[in-house]
Amino acid sequence: MISPVKADTVDAFNGLAAIYDRSRPLYPPECLNVLESRLPFPRGSNTGLDVGCGTGILTRQLAAHFALFDKIVGIDVNPEMLKQAAIRTTDTRVRYEAIPAENIGKHPAGPFAFIIAASAANWFDRPKFYSGASASMIAGGILAFLINRRRFDSDAFLSELEDYLETSVPGYARGRYSSAVGEYSETGCFQEELIDAPNFVDIEEHRVERLISMPNSDAIDYFLSFNDLKRASKMKGQARVRRDLSDLVSSHFGESELVQFPVTTIMTSARYSAVCAG
């Protein structure tokens, strides 16, 4: 069951825009290839929508991949993230707007050939989001979710990182994600949700196993860009949390200039049908 949004999510990433944009890795090109392969031809629209776009990391990837599209729109509720996105974006086909995910229905830039949300849907009131997506897509358009799962069950460093999160962040449990109601919940049930959501058919899931590799200093910043560790920093102080993370990285990677850890990127996608599948 999906809880309704009861809390303001605007502040969740305040103060993290620069570090987030600098340290977060790109999404696998394989996922964009799958998205492209699923689009209908002729499309009836050359506009795509990135929901919960943050600093525009995926938005810029989409613009580069879909070079023939007329427009790629990124929306988010955090002004700091959108400001950073605008600074980093030079493609004139890309535009950013401060719009909640739940309010995309009949967006003036639509209808959209695709709507995608990357590492963001855990913050949405998803029943409202599905309804809005239905109202703003072309027939046959693709709704997609991307999520990165840290493979802590097969990596000693990530397992110890999860130990640290569980002891430092109230309510946190490994494998769970922050939500708009201030709780932690299992996310990744998009297949089941889409089966029950009206007007979405041809549901598929694709997985990309990959090894994230980044310089030692960037890795510390990457972890500090987590909303969970922002919460830990408020309680312990950022200097203490940075020192704890540095010690953790050093204990596993020593003097190595690179930090590496495995993740699974999961892409769940569904086709919009103008005729309700139920």
Side-chain angles (χ1 to χ4, degrees):
M1 180 177 180
I2 308 167
S3 300
V5 175
K6 298 178 182 177
D8 189 354
T9 63
V10 175
D11 295 338
F13 289 89
N14 276 349
L16 297 179
I19 194 173
Y20 185 105
D21 192 60
R22 182 173 65 249
S23 63
R24 292 284 176 126
L26 299 176
Y27 288 91
E30 297 95 322
C31 293
L32 303 189
N33 291 336
V34 169
L35 175 61
E36 184 176 22
S37 71
R38 300 209 69 197
L39 293 179
F41 290 94
R43 283 188 291 268
S45 169
N46 278 322
T47 302
L49 179 65
D50 179 13
V51 184
C53 67
T55 62
I57 294 171
L58 177 63
T59 322
R60 294 188 291 275
Q61 276 190 268
L62 291 166
H65 188 90
F66 294 96
L68 299 181
F69 267 45
D70 299 326
K71 189 181 302 179
I72 303 291
V73 179
I75 65 170
D76 203 279
V77 294
N78 187 291
E80 292 182 12
M81 302 292 268
L82 290 172
K83 181 179 180 180
Q84 180 70 20
I87 291 170
R88 294 274 283 114
T89 303
T90 58
D91 192 324
T92 57
R93 295 174 302 130
V94 176
R95 83 182 200 203
Y96 297 104
E97 300 176 3
I99 298 175
E102 298 79 15
N103 292 0
I104 63 172
K106 299 182 180 178
H107 188 290
F112 299 102
F114 67 80
I115 296 175
I116 190 167
S119 302
N122 49 301
W123 296 100
F124 303 170
D125 178 334
R126 290 197 293 280
K128 289 183 179 179
F129 172 70
Y130 292 134
S131 177
S134 294
S136 55
M137 300 185 73
I138 63 170
I142 298 299
L143 172 64
F145 297 104
L146 280 171
I147 189 167
N148 289 320
R149 287 193 180 276
R150 299 189 293 275
R151 301 215 306 271
F152 52 79
D153 54 342
S154 61
D155 184 84
F157 166 67
L158 290 181
S159 180
E160 195 167 339
L161 174 64
E162 295 297 325
D163 290 341
Y164 181 76
L165 287 167
E166 287 178 335
T167 57
S168 301
V169 184
Y172 181 86
R174 64 190 65 204
R176 294 182 177 269
Y177 298 81
S178 301
S179 73
V181 296
E183 301 170 349
Y184 286 89
S185 62
E186 181 77 22
T187 298
C189 55
F190 302 124
Q191 280 185 308
E192 292 82 359
E193 292 178 6
L194 287 164
I195 288 171
D196 294 332
N199 298 332
F200 290 102
V201 298
D202 298 338
I203 302 162
E204 295 183 3
E205 183 177 278
H206 297 267
R207 292 175 176 248
V208 180
E209 308 289 348
R210 58 187 182 135
L211 188 67
I212 300 295
S213 180
M214 58 180 64
N216 189 302
S217 59
D218 288 353
I220 303 301
D221 285 346
Y222 168 69
F223 298 123
L224 286 173
S225 76
F226 294 0
N227 172 260
D228 307 308
L229 283 171
K230 176 186 173 183
R231 294 179 62 198
S233 295
K234 284 184 175 180
M235 292 179 288
K236 295 185 172 185
Q238 189 176 78
R240 166 70 185 278
V241 172
R242 179 177 284 276
R243 186 170 62 253
D244 291 344
L245 291 173
S246 181
D247 290 345
L248 176 59
V249 167
S250 295
S251 70
H252 286 270
F253 298 97
E255 299 300 319
S256 172
E257 294 182 0
L258 286 180
V259 172
Q260 296 181 314
F261 51 91
V263 303
T264 301
T265 300
I266 305 171
M267 178 175 175
T268 307
S269 60
R271 189 175 307 281
Y272 169 63
S273 172
V275 179
C276 180

